[in-house]
Amino acid sequence: MATATFPGAEFQQGRPVADPSRPSGQASARSCARPRPARAPVPDVTPSEMFPRAAAAGIQSGQGRFGDQEGADVLEVVALSALTTFLMSVGNGAAGEMGKQLLLSTGTLVRRTTGRRTPLPSGPEERAALAGLMHARLEHDPRLAGEWALLLRTHGQPGTPVLARGSGLPPAPRHFTNRQKTLRRLAREATRPADGRPRVALLFGPPGIGTTATALRLGAEQHARFPDGQFYVDLRDTAADGGPGPGGVLQRLLRQMVTDPGPLPPTDAGREELYRRVTADRRALVVVDHATSLAQVRGLVPSTDGVFLLVVVSGQPFALEAERVEVEPLSDRYAVRMLRELAGREHVAHAGAQLPRLLGQCGGNAFALRAAAGQLRTGQPALPPPASQDGDRHPVREAVRHATGRLRPPTARLCRLAALGAWPGLDTHLAAAVADVPPDEAAGMLAEAVDAQVLESLPDDRHRFRPEVRRYLADTAGPELGVAECSAAVARGLDAVLNRALHAAHAALPESWRTEPAPSHGTGYGDESEGLRALVAEAGNTVRAVSLAEEYGHVSTALRLARTLWPLQLKAGHWDDVLPALRLAARCAGTHRPGTRTAGALHFQLAHCLDQLGRGQDAERAARAALDSERAAGHLRGEASAVELLGLLRLHQWDYPAAYERFTEAKSLYEQIAPGQEGAEDLPRALALAERHRGRALRGMGRTEESQRSLQHAVDRFEEQGERYNTARALTDLAETLHDAGRDTEALARISEAERLLDPAAVPHRQYLTALRSRCGSAE
């Protein structure tokens, strides 16, 4: 989880959470610390006293140049390649509070090194150019070289990440029939001479044919070939239409692949770079199941010959450069063998004359055969006539038609109505709402549907449909039940998801004006952590509900649902998950609620999310849209918050003068809120945060004395309000500013104060302070 610094946080408690973001590639500060003397204002000083940071790093100065071996060692630390890599790492890792903190510190040191305002590099060419400029300066400036050496040593250059063994692939099905030819083709691709070509296979076939089972069987048979692990990502459990984007796929995969990954790089480029490093010189199997587009997997194509990427597509293949392997229907001979293994020889024999027609309707489709085996085990092999007489067979649909025909009518009705929502996680509560039945009845219906293989069980007592099964049930819901009943079921489901999300969001951020009060009905949550856990558990359904509500014309519901996602992006860092819903909701608000507070709030959420994902230009457009809407609505608090967000976006781009102007404007707007007006109760925190941000911008501009005054003022205000965590954040800023000014004894005192205030759960913040302590020259 992560707590980011942004406007709107001023109206919440600002407490640390269990897993806030930390800087990428952070090294142990203890191993890097070297004591150094504090600066003394004396007229005659030695070179080491003139350049205390250079002395701390072991640099000797002579006429402004390096001397001897220790200076050469520092130059090696700040080599051109090291600077370039560090700039890339900082930019790619700039998400969450401490990622932004390191980004700001790096930008401040860049300005001091170049002697002018330097914008954040936006690509490899700009990074290389900036690194080259700084390297040329550092060769002649021991003091700054020492600063950079300490920064790189304490916050680390990206090392070799540790590849976890992973949990492996899910178990292969016990009864697996006649795919040996397919498996041999896949094995050949996995083991052929590399010849400079990546090992990639695209396994495809119609829905239900057995593509997933074939991939899992390959993993089981070839386990010894991949000693560094097997990694499996199933993309069909996403709430977004078409599945997650490239960054979301990388995020899911890296969570498995990297030992103790912590916060992952927020940008697609950063995640792909980490994927390349973690798989370098490794022998591993990567399976991406239910991929739907080339974009999702293009960045996963291995650059090392020890990794085999297997992409599984249910349906037609897309244009991936890979060995294409089709899973074909089973012949009647092997279809009968599968039926005998699944249902038993006696039940297959009992089918008698109906067996050929059963095989014909199954069409060699593994899912259909499994469903037929379940039917045979009941001892009732009679088959209804096929739905299609034109020879255009749909084995999965036929199997589902037969299965729903055997369900009790109330259960079949629940399945059809639930399929309309395409809910990622269907639990008893949601199923009961959709079908308008008591929860205990819904629980029994879900169990019956699982037994009939219409539904699949998931952890936490949730369920889902296979994609083709859901499509058939949704397509037949209208003709079977009528449009009115279908629409009412969708509305009930949306209301149930909204009610749960409103309760959870309010519990997670009880003092935030960006979340609605909890509804008067429904089940509440005990505290902030419980509310946040509930939001995380319901994230898939909530994101799905936003698009479903928009599709069915429930505009207000869609917008309210999207606003409940705020704690997820603020406290839990679920930026990839919520982004599709926020994009849709912001567009919907712009169309149906232009110039309103709701539009302003949703554009604000979208801007914050885009900023955390490193999409600065898109974030600025969304923030300006938020500002326009809040101004049009006459919402002074929202206008000030949007202006403050624009300032933070400038701050994160190292445009410190523009950021300072925005923070000053935001402060002025906040001060226009009179006692008794809306938002007046939030002013103390808002003004303290605005002052903190002004101090950070002043630091970036090199105006260290003014920065110290602003930050000390912020510290005092937070202390008056009892804001322990926000006080610690401001103390961290103040310590860095004092360090910039060479007042390290005072900086160390502020670091100690911040450490005393921090909750033990704020591990990344504590790690950052340890690194800062080392930079100030004292390791404990």
Side-chain angles (χ1 to χ4, degrees), residues 504-698:
H506 178 72
L509 288 176
E511 296 185 10
S512 174
W513 61 274
R514 294 193 176 278
T515 57
E516 287 188 39
S520 58
H521 62 288
T523 303
Y525 298 92
D527 55 24
E528 294 180 37
S529 60
E530 186 181 351
L532 188 59
R533 286 196 300 270
L535 269 182
V536 170
E538 288 295 311
N541 283 340
T542 307
V543 169
R544 169 59 188 156
V546 173
S547 61
L548 186 66
E550 191 274 339
E551 177 185 348
Y552 277 77
H554 300 285
V555 173
S556 294
T557 299
L559 303 183
R560 295 176 72 194
L561 281 161
R563 294 195 65 177
T564 67
L565 299 172
W566 177 236
L568 278 176
Q569 60 186 103
L570 167 61
K571 281 193 164 185
H574 282 224
W575 308 305
D576 292 274
D577 298 327
V578 305
L579 181 59
L582 294 180
R583 286 190 186 277
L584 176 62
R587 288 197 303 268
C588 187
T591 301
H592 299 282
R593 304 286 191 274
T596 63
R597 294 186 178 194
T598 297
L602 288 168
H603 283 296
F604 181 97
Q605 284 182 237
L606 177 59
H608 169 262
C609 186
L610 290 166
D611 177 45
Q612 294 298 326
L613 290 171
R615 306 179 189 182
Q617 292 183 346
D618 292 341
E620 180 142 355
R621 283 192 291 269
R624 291 187 182 280
L627 177 59
D628 292 342
S629 294
E630 297 287 13
R631 280 177 174 167
H635 184 206
L636 192 57
R637 177 174 55 180
E639 180 183 353
S641 187
V643 170
E644 191 175 352
L645 175 57
L646 285 167
L648 284 169
L649 295 176
R650 293 292 91 206
L651 192 72
H652 301 157
Q653 294 296 317
W654 299 349
D655 188 353
Y656 303 112
Y660 180 76
E661 290 179 6
R662 286 297 193 177
F663 295 143
T664 300
E665 180 184 357
K667 180 183 178 184
S668 176
L669 288 167
Y670 282 129
E671 289 172 340
Q672 294 178 36
I673 300 176
Q677 285 188 332
E678 180 184 22
E681 67 278 8
D682 300 317
L683 276 181
R685 183 183 293 119
L687 290 171
L689 270 175
E691 196 63 43
R692 177 193 173 216
H693 295 326
R694 277 162 45 92
R696 299 166 81 201
L698 287 166

Side-chain angles (χ1 to χ4, degrees), residues 433-444:
V434 168
D436 197 20
V437 298
D440 56 342
E441 290 186 25

Side-chain angles (χ1 to χ4, degrees), residues 262-628:
L264 296 172
T267 64
D268 292 1
R271 292 173 185 175
E272 184 174 337
E273 188 271 337
L274 178 58
Y275 172 76
R276 301 286 172 213
R277 286 194 290 122
V278 81
T279 56
D281 301 320
R282 302 291 185 174
R283 293 171 61 194
L285 172 66
V286 176
V287 178
V288 181
D289 201 359
H290 294 95
T292 57
S293 70
L294 174 62
Q296 288 178 324
V297 298
R298 182 163 40 201
L300 302 180
V301 174
S303 54
T304 181
D305 58 11
V307 175
F308 177 39
L309 173 64
L310 177 56
V311 178
V312 183
V313 176
S314 180
Q316 293 299 312
F318 43 76
L320 176 68
E321 292 186 8
E323 178 72 15
R324 295 192 174 197
V325 181
E326 182 176 5
V327 178
E328 298 178 345
L330 291 170
S331 66
D332 284 353
R333 172 190 172 190
Y334 288 103
V336 171
R337 176 185 293 184
M338 176 175 279
L339 287 174
R340 287 171 177 166
E341 291 176 346
L342 292 169
R345 287 180 174 273
E346 65 282 6
H347 291 301
V348 175
H350 185 68
Q354 294 195 68
L355 185 59
R357 186 159 70 90
L358 178 64
L359 295 173
Q361 290 188 189
C362 290
N365 185 282
F367 173 83
L369 287 165
R370 289 179 181 277
Q375 177 185 345
L376 290 174
R377 284 196 300 269
T378 66
Q380 299 176 351
L383 296 174
S388 175
Q389 304 292 339
D390 58 5
D392 183 18
R393 295 178 303 181
H394 297 277
V396 173
R397 289 180 164 244
E398 285 295 315
V400 180
R401 186 170 71 91
H402 299 162
T404 51
R406 297 193 307 274
L407 294 173
R408 293 181 298 121
T411 303
R413 171 181 173 272
L414 181 149
C415 290
R416 286 192 169 92
L417 294 177
L420 292 168
W423 303 107
L426 183 66
D427 63 3
T428 300
H429 171 80
L430 180 54
V434 168
D436 197 20
V437 298
D440 56 342
E441 290 186 25
M445 294 177 189
L446 291 174
E448 182 184 355
V450 169
D451 290 342
Q453 299 188 54
V454 175
L455 272 177
E456 294 180 339
S457 295
L458 295 172
D460 302 325
D461 296 323
R462 294 171 184 264
H463 308 81
R464 70 179 177 190
F465 296 102
R466 295 177 63 94
E468 192 66 20
V469 173
R470 187 201 65 77
R471 282 191 286 268
Y472 171 80
L473 292 171
D475 289 346
T476 58
E480 290 283 341
L481 303 173
V483 173
E485 184 170 0
C486 291
S487 297
V490 169
R492 289 192 299 268
L494 291 172
D495 288 343
V497 173
L498 176 61
N499 182 272
R500 185 180 286 184
L502 287 172
H503 276 290
H506 178 72
L509 288 176
E511 296 185 10
S512 174
W513 61 274
R514 294 193 176 278
T515 57
E516 287 188 39
S520 58
H521 62 288
T523 303
Y525 298 92
D527 55 24
E528 294 180 37
S529 60
E530 186 181 351
L532 188 59
R533 286 196 300 270
L535 269 182
V536 170
E538 288 295 311
N541 283 340
T542 307
V543 169
R544 169 59 188 156
V546 173
S547 61
L548 186 66
E550 191 274 339
E551 177 185 348
Y552 277 77
H554 300 285
V555 173
S556 294
T557 299
L559 303 183
R560 295 176 72 194
L561 281 161
R563 294 195 65 177
T564 67
L565 299 172
W566 177 236
L568 278 176
Q569 60 186 103
L570 167 61
K571 281 193 164 185
H574 282 224
W575 308 305
D576 292 274
D577 298 327
V578 305
L579 181 59
L582 294 180
R583 286 190 186 277
L584 176 62
R587 288 197 303 268
C588 187
T591 301
H592 299 282
R593 304 286 191 274
T596 63
R597 294 186 178 194
T598 297
L602 288 168
H603 283 296
F604 181 97
Q605 284 182 237
L606 177 59
H608 169 262
C609 186
L610 290 166
D611 177 45
Q612 294 298 326
L613 290 171
R615 306 179 189 182
Q617 292 183 346
D618 292 341
E620 180 142 355
R621 283 192 291 269
R624 291 187 182 280
L627 177 59
D628 292 342

